[in-house]
Short mmCIF file of all heavy atoms in Angstrom, two decimals:
data_model
loop_
_atom_site.label_atom_id
_atom_site.label_comp_id
_atom_site.label_asym_id
_atom_site.label_seq_id
_atom_site.Cartn_x
_atom_site.Cartn_y
_atom_site.Cartn_z
N GLY A 1 -51.09 8.51 -48.25
CA GLY A 1 -50.23 8.72 -49.40
C GLY A 1 -48.78 8.65 -49.09
O GLY A 1 -48.30 9.37 -48.18
N GLY A 2 -48.04 7.81 -49.79
CA GLY A 2 -46.63 7.63 -49.57
C GLY A 2 -46.27 6.33 -48.83
O GLY A 2 -45.14 5.89 -48.89
N ASP A 3 -47.25 5.75 -48.13
CA ASP A 3 -46.97 4.52 -47.40
C ASP A 3 -46.56 3.41 -48.39
O ASP A 3 -45.74 2.58 -48.06
CB ASP A 3 -48.21 4.06 -46.60
CG ASP A 3 -48.26 4.75 -45.23
OD1 ASP A 3 -47.32 5.54 -44.90
OD2 ASP A 3 -49.24 4.50 -44.51
N GLU A 4 -47.14 3.44 -49.57
CA GLU A 4 -46.81 2.41 -50.57
C GLU A 4 -45.42 2.59 -51.11
O GLU A 4 -44.86 1.70 -51.76
CB GLU A 4 -47.85 2.47 -51.70
CG GLU A 4 -47.67 3.59 -52.71
CD GLU A 4 -48.13 4.98 -52.25
OE1 GLU A 4 -48.47 5.12 -51.05
OE2 GLU A 4 -48.17 5.93 -53.06
N LEU A 5 -44.82 3.78 -50.86
CA LEU A 5 -43.47 4.06 -51.36
C LEU A 5 -42.40 3.87 -50.31
O LEU A 5 -41.21 4.01 -50.58
CB LEU A 5 -43.41 5.51 -51.88
CG LEU A 5 -44.47 5.97 -52.90
CD1 LEU A 5 -44.38 7.45 -53.17
CD2 LEU A 5 -44.27 5.17 -54.19
N GLY A 6 -42.85 3.66 -49.05
CA GLY A 6 -41.91 3.63 -47.93
C GLY A 6 -41.51 5.03 -47.46
O GLY A 6 -40.44 5.23 -46.89
N ARG A 7 -42.40 6.00 -47.62
CA ARG A 7 -42.10 7.39 -47.25
C ARG A 7 -41.86 7.51 -45.76
O ARG A 7 -42.63 7.01 -44.96
CB ARG A 7 -43.26 8.30 -47.67
CG ARG A 7 -42.96 9.78 -47.44
CD ARG A 7 -44.13 10.62 -47.96
NE ARG A 7 -45.31 10.60 -47.12
CZ ARG A 7 -45.51 11.41 -46.10
NH1 ARG A 7 -44.62 12.32 -45.78
NH2 ARG A 7 -46.63 11.31 -45.37
N THR A 8 -40.79 8.23 -45.42
CA THR A 8 -40.46 8.49 -44.00
C THR A 8 -40.49 9.99 -43.69
O THR A 8 -40.27 10.81 -44.60
CB THR A 8 -39.05 7.94 -43.67
OG1 THR A 8 -38.75 8.25 -42.31
CG2 THR A 8 -37.98 8.53 -44.59
N GLN A 9 -40.83 10.28 -42.46
CA GLN A 9 -40.75 11.66 -41.96
C GLN A 9 -39.66 11.73 -40.86
O GLN A 9 -39.70 12.64 -40.04
CB GLN A 9 -42.10 12.15 -41.42
CG GLN A 9 -43.12 12.33 -42.50
CD GLN A 9 -44.51 12.74 -42.04
OE1 GLN A 9 -45.35 13.10 -42.85
NE2 GLN A 9 -44.75 12.69 -40.71
N GLY A 10 -38.79 10.75 -40.86
CA GLY A 10 -37.71 10.75 -39.87
C GLY A 10 -38.18 10.58 -38.46
O GLY A 10 -37.52 11.04 -37.54
N GLY A 11 -39.33 9.92 -38.31
CA GLY A 11 -39.87 9.72 -36.98
C GLY A 11 -40.71 10.86 -36.43
O GLY A 11 -41.23 10.82 -35.30
N ASN A 12 -40.96 11.89 -37.24
CA ASN A 12 -41.85 12.97 -36.81
C ASN A 12 -43.29 12.49 -36.99
O ASN A 12 -43.71 12.17 -38.13
CB ASN A 12 -41.60 14.24 -37.67
CG ASN A 12 -42.31 15.48 -37.15
OD1 ASN A 12 -43.46 15.40 -36.69
ND2 ASN A 12 -41.62 16.61 -37.19
N ASN A 13 -44.06 12.46 -35.93
CA ASN A 13 -45.43 11.95 -36.02
C ASN A 13 -46.46 13.08 -35.86
O ASN A 13 -47.62 12.84 -35.64
CB ASN A 13 -45.67 10.84 -34.97
CG ASN A 13 -45.86 11.41 -33.55
OD1 ASN A 13 -45.52 12.51 -33.24
ND2 ASN A 13 -46.38 10.52 -32.69
N ASN A 14 -45.99 14.32 -36.05
CA ASN A 14 -46.90 15.48 -36.01
C ASN A 14 -46.37 16.58 -36.91
O ASN A 14 -46.06 17.70 -36.46
CB ASN A 14 -47.02 15.97 -34.53
CG ASN A 14 -48.10 17.03 -34.38
OD1 ASN A 14 -49.11 16.96 -35.02
ND2 ASN A 14 -47.88 18.01 -33.52
N ALA A 15 -46.20 16.24 -38.18
CA ALA A 15 -45.52 17.12 -39.13
C ALA A 15 -46.45 18.21 -39.68
O ALA A 15 -46.29 18.68 -40.80
CB ALA A 15 -44.92 16.29 -40.25
N TYR A 16 -47.41 18.69 -38.87
CA TYR A 16 -48.37 19.65 -39.32
C TYR A 16 -47.72 20.98 -39.74
O TYR A 16 -48.28 21.73 -40.56
CB TYR A 16 -49.38 19.94 -38.20
CG TYR A 16 -48.85 20.84 -37.09
CD1 TYR A 16 -49.21 22.17 -37.04
CD2 TYR A 16 -47.98 20.32 -36.10
CE1 TYR A 16 -48.70 22.97 -36.00
CE2 TYR A 16 -47.51 21.12 -35.13
CZ TYR A 16 -47.85 22.45 -35.07
OH TYR A 16 -47.37 23.24 -34.06
N CYS A 17 -46.55 21.26 -39.20
CA CYS A 17 -45.89 22.56 -39.49
C CYS A 17 -44.63 22.41 -40.33
O CYS A 17 -43.84 23.39 -40.44
CB CYS A 17 -45.52 23.21 -38.13
SG CYS A 17 -44.49 22.25 -37.04
N GLN A 18 -44.47 21.26 -40.94
CA GLN A 18 -43.23 20.98 -41.70
C GLN A 18 -43.50 21.02 -43.20
O GLN A 18 -43.71 20.01 -43.88
CB GLN A 18 -42.64 19.63 -41.29
CG GLN A 18 -42.24 19.53 -39.83
CD GLN A 18 -41.17 20.55 -39.46
OE1 GLN A 18 -40.35 20.90 -40.30
NE2 GLN A 18 -41.18 20.99 -38.20
N ASP A 19 -43.50 22.24 -43.73
CA ASP A 19 -43.67 22.40 -45.18
C ASP A 19 -42.31 22.38 -45.82
O ASP A 19 -41.77 23.39 -46.32
CB ASP A 19 -44.36 23.78 -45.44
CG ASP A 19 -44.74 23.94 -46.91
OD1 ASP A 19 -44.47 23.04 -47.72
OD2 ASP A 19 -45.33 24.98 -47.24
N ASN A 20 -41.69 21.19 -45.86
CA ASN A 20 -40.34 21.02 -46.29
C ASN A 20 -40.11 19.53 -46.61
O ASN A 20 -41.08 18.76 -46.64
CB ASN A 20 -39.35 21.54 -45.25
CG ASN A 20 -39.66 20.95 -43.84
OD1 ASN A 20 -39.83 19.75 -43.73
ND2 ASN A 20 -39.70 21.82 -42.83
N LYS A 21 -38.88 19.13 -46.70
CA LYS A 21 -38.55 17.74 -47.11
C LYS A 21 -38.97 16.73 -46.08
O LYS A 21 -39.01 15.53 -46.40
CB LYS A 21 -37.07 17.64 -47.47
CG LYS A 21 -36.70 18.40 -48.75
CD LYS A 21 -35.24 18.17 -49.08
CE LYS A 21 -34.87 18.89 -50.40
NZ LYS A 21 -33.45 18.70 -50.75
N ILE A 22 -39.22 17.14 -44.83
CA ILE A 22 -39.73 16.21 -43.86
C ILE A 22 -41.06 15.59 -44.36
O ILE A 22 -41.32 14.42 -44.19
CB ILE A 22 -39.92 16.89 -42.46
CG1 ILE A 22 -38.55 17.16 -41.88
CG2 ILE A 22 -40.73 15.98 -41.52
CD1 ILE A 22 -38.59 17.92 -40.55
N SER A 23 -41.91 16.45 -44.94
CA SER A 23 -43.22 16.06 -45.33
C SER A 23 -43.38 15.73 -46.80
O SER A 23 -44.25 14.94 -47.18
CB SER A 23 -44.23 17.18 -44.99
OG SER A 23 -44.29 17.41 -43.60
N TRP A 24 -42.60 16.37 -47.67
CA TRP A 24 -42.79 16.16 -49.09
C TRP A 24 -42.33 14.73 -49.49
O TRP A 24 -41.44 14.15 -48.92
CB TRP A 24 -41.89 17.16 -49.89
CG TRP A 24 -42.22 18.63 -49.55
CD1 TRP A 24 -43.34 19.12 -49.02
CD2 TRP A 24 -41.30 19.71 -49.76
NE1 TRP A 24 -43.26 20.48 -48.90
CE2 TRP A 24 -42.00 20.87 -49.34
CE3 TRP A 24 -40.03 19.85 -50.29
CZ2 TRP A 24 -41.44 22.17 -49.43
CZ3 TRP A 24 -39.48 21.13 -50.36
CH2 TRP A 24 -40.16 22.25 -49.93
N PHE A 25 -42.98 14.23 -50.54
CA PHE A 25 -42.65 12.92 -51.04
C PHE A 25 -41.25 12.92 -51.67
O PHE A 25 -40.91 13.78 -52.48
CB PHE A 25 -43.65 12.48 -52.13
CG PHE A 25 -44.97 12.04 -51.64
CD1 PHE A 25 -45.64 12.70 -50.64
CD2 PHE A 25 -45.59 10.90 -52.22
CE1 PHE A 25 -46.90 12.27 -50.19
CE2 PHE A 25 -46.82 10.47 -51.75
CZ PHE A 25 -47.47 11.15 -50.76
N ASP A 26 -40.43 11.96 -51.27
CA ASP A 26 -39.08 11.82 -51.87
C ASP A 26 -39.16 10.76 -52.92
O ASP A 26 -39.08 9.53 -52.66
CB ASP A 26 -38.07 11.42 -50.76
CG ASP A 26 -36.66 11.32 -51.28
OD1 ASP A 26 -36.44 11.48 -52.51
OD2 ASP A 26 -35.75 11.04 -50.45
N TRP A 27 -39.30 11.19 -54.16
CA TRP A 27 -39.44 10.26 -55.29
C TRP A 27 -38.14 9.61 -55.68
O TRP A 27 -38.14 8.72 -56.53
CB TRP A 27 -40.02 11.01 -56.47
CG TRP A 27 -41.46 11.46 -56.22
CD1 TRP A 27 -41.88 12.69 -55.78
CD2 TRP A 27 -42.65 10.63 -56.29
NE1 TRP A 27 -43.25 12.70 -55.62
CE2 TRP A 27 -43.73 11.46 -55.91
CE3 TRP A 27 -42.88 9.33 -56.64
CZ2 TRP A 27 -45.06 10.96 -55.91
CZ3 TRP A 27 -44.17 8.82 -56.67
CH2 TRP A 27 -45.27 9.62 -56.28
N GLU A 28 -37.03 10.00 -55.09
CA GLU A 28 -35.75 9.40 -55.33
C GLU A 28 -35.50 8.21 -54.39
O GLU A 28 -34.45 7.53 -54.49
CB GLU A 28 -34.63 10.43 -55.24
CG GLU A 28 -34.76 11.60 -56.22
CD GLU A 28 -34.78 11.18 -57.66
OE1 GLU A 28 -34.04 10.22 -57.97
OE2 GLU A 28 -35.49 11.77 -58.43
N ALA A 29 -36.35 8.03 -53.40
CA ALA A 29 -36.12 6.99 -52.40
C ALA A 29 -37.34 6.10 -52.26
O ALA A 29 -37.92 5.94 -51.19
CB ALA A 29 -35.79 7.62 -51.05
N VAL A 30 -37.81 5.56 -53.37
CA VAL A 30 -39.00 4.74 -53.42
C VAL A 30 -38.65 3.29 -53.14
O VAL A 30 -37.71 2.75 -53.71
CB VAL A 30 -39.70 4.86 -54.79
CG1 VAL A 30 -40.84 3.88 -54.91
CG2 VAL A 30 -40.24 6.30 -54.97
#
């Protein structure tokens, strides 16, 4: 989910503990 939008986690490849904007979908940057 989000790959179709170009969603980024800023290079974090283990965001299991990031309940914040690192993980949330940014609908303003589609």
Side-chain angles (χ1 to χ4, degrees):
D3 276 357
E4 77 284 7
L5 306 173
R7 185 176 74 89
T8 177
Q9 293 177 169
N12 191 319
N13 77 344
N14 189 35
Y16 76 102
C17 57
Q18 299 298 330
D19 188 0
N20 51 48
K21 291 183 178 180
I22 290 176
S23 297
W24 302 339
F25 283 44
D26 183 356
W27 294 97
E28 301 300 323
V30 170

